[in-house]
Amino acid sequence: MANERTVKELKSVAQKLRRDVLEMIGVGSAGHLGGSFSLAETMAVLYFHRMKFDKKMLADPKRDRLLLSKGHVALIQYAALCEKGLFPREELRRVKAINGLLQGHPDLSIPGIEAVTGSLGQGLSVGLGMALALRLDRNPARILVVMGDGEQSEGQLWEAAQAAAAYKTDNVTAFIDWNKVQATGATKDIFNIPNLDEKWKAFGWEVFTVDGHDPGAIIDVLEKAEAVKGKPQLIILDTIKGKGVSFAEGNAAYHNCILDEATYNKVLAELDSAKGGK
């Protein structure tokens, strides 16, 4: 169970990650703000509290591996990797630039990225393959796969879900960023998949649901998930798209947005006024 100090620190980290994402988007260029902001607390918990991972472990086979299946929100993962010291901060201002390190989607050329993702629905399949290889090697490392709720309409994902349960891969923990909004509107209006928890349970997974903006609750549920034996685990993160910016919350217009200078400054002001997520 997380103590109050740890929770406070992780809330502060989450706000710092949001600020980094905003810096990467900048003024006049498109960037995935909404889904990046909804994952800030989860990325803070995973990279800065729970995972066995740092810049000294890039070649260590016992490191935990995080795969961002919803690769279009790579900015939030880049923010975490930057704060962990894996590349210079100058790269945040060169996202998608020809001479920059950071691409529009995760790429293996970037330190800390474990798989190329972006075509939705494929991350869990890749993670399952890694998990089975780790088990063959008797390697205790864990595989973490972060998916989107819109991504749940992809068929390959469900093939991987069924296979993961069949092979009893208890070294896999998957997440759904259940922010309820995808590129063009509410997920339920575009391709409704109700009762996600029951669906995944029916596929043989141990399923948990948690407030995805409460670091303490995320830590607690991760401890429960990692204690599960004989089956993979799914954590449904109940989140708000664009969390932390009042006019972006739940707003599909900020899925992949271009900010003018005035809007950029409004986002920055709201993030700064939050004072570490309080």
Side-chain angles (χ1 to χ4, degrees):
M1 183 176 292
N3 59 48
E4 186 175 344
R5 179 178 178 181
T6 297
V7 170
K8 184 178 180 180
E9 289 174 350
L10 289 171
K11 285 182 177 180
S12 180
V13 170
Q15 285 299 96
K16 189 178 296 184
L17 298 182
R18 288 188 175 98
R19 227 177 173 280
D20 288 345
V21 168
L22 180 63
E23 182 177 347
M24 282 183 269
I25 295 173
V27 174
S29 298
H32 288 85
L33 184 149
S36 293
F37 278 23
S38 61
L39 277 174
E41 283 80 13
T42 298
M43 288 296 187
V45 169
L46 293 177
Y47 276 110
F48 297 88
H49 180 77
R50 198 68 193 169
M51 288 174 60
K52 296 182 179 67
F53 175 86
D54 60 40
K55 64 181 180 180
K56 296 178 181 178
M57 294 184 71
L58 289 181
D60 189 336
K62 292 187 178 179
R63 72 188 183 282
D64 292 335
R65 293 146 171 88
L66 191 154
L67 283 71
L68 186 62
S69 189
K70 49 178 294 185
H72 54 282
V73 299
L75 299 185
I76 192 65
Q77 189 172 24
Y78 296 163
L81 294 174
C82 180
E83 294 295 341
K84 294 285 287 186
L86 270 74
F87 50 78
R89 290 196 62 84
E90 292 74 33
E91 292 295 341
L92 298 185
R93 293 185 288 275
R94 300 198 298 169
V95 175
K96 294 187 281 189
I98 292 176
N99 61 345
L101 173 68
L102 306 177
Q103 306 301 310
H105 288 78
D107 187 87
L108 290 173
S109 63
I110 302 166
I113 296 297
E114 301 287 355
V116 176
T117 60
S119 296
L120 292 174
Q122 297 181 5
L124 189 60
S125 296
V126 177
L128 173 59
M130 291 180 174
L132 291 171
L134 291 174
R135 189 163 71 185
L136 285 172
D137 289 340
R138 301 185 185 278
N139 186 326
R142 298 192 63 82
I143 300 296
L144 308 170
V145 180
V146 180
M147 304 174 287
D149 52 359
E151 186 177 359
Q152 302 304 297
S153 62
E154 298 286 346
Q156 182 176 326
L157 181 155
W158 294 104
E159 294 179 33
Q162 183 171 307
Y167 291 120
K168 299 180 172 57
T169 50
D170 53 14
N171 56 343
V172 172
T173 302
F175 303 79
I176 297 175
D177 182 17
W178 186 41
N179 63 33
K180 309 160 200 70
V181 178
Q182 55 191 91
T184 58
T187 303
K188 65 181 177 61
D189 296 331
I190 295 170
F191 197 106
N192 191 28
I193 304 179
N195 307 316
L196 277 173
D197 54 346
E198 295 301 323
K199 195 174 186 73
W200 280 85
K201 287 176 185 177
F203 270 70
W205 288 57
E206 192 75 20
V207 179
F208 306 87
T209 301
V210 67
D211 180 348
H213 299 303
D214 182 342
I218 297 170
I219 290 171
D220 291 347
V221 81
L222 273 167
E223 291 176 355
K224 293 176 183 177
E226 291 174 5
V228 171
K229 301 300 180 186
K231 61 168 68 173
Q233 315 91 46
L234 174 77
I235 297 174
I236 300 175
L237 302 160
D238 189 355
T239 61
I240 298 171
K241 191 135 183 167
K243 174 67 175 178
V245 179
S246 60
F247 54 89
E249 291 187 353
N251 188 344
Y254 289 89
H255 172 83
N256 186 25
C257 58
I258 298 176
L259 303 175
D260 59 27
E261 188 170 359
T263 307
Y264 179 95
N265 288 332
K266 285 174 65 178
V267 174
L268 182 60
E270 290 206 19
L271 294 181
D272 286 348
S273 68
K275 295 182 180 179
K278 291 183 180 179

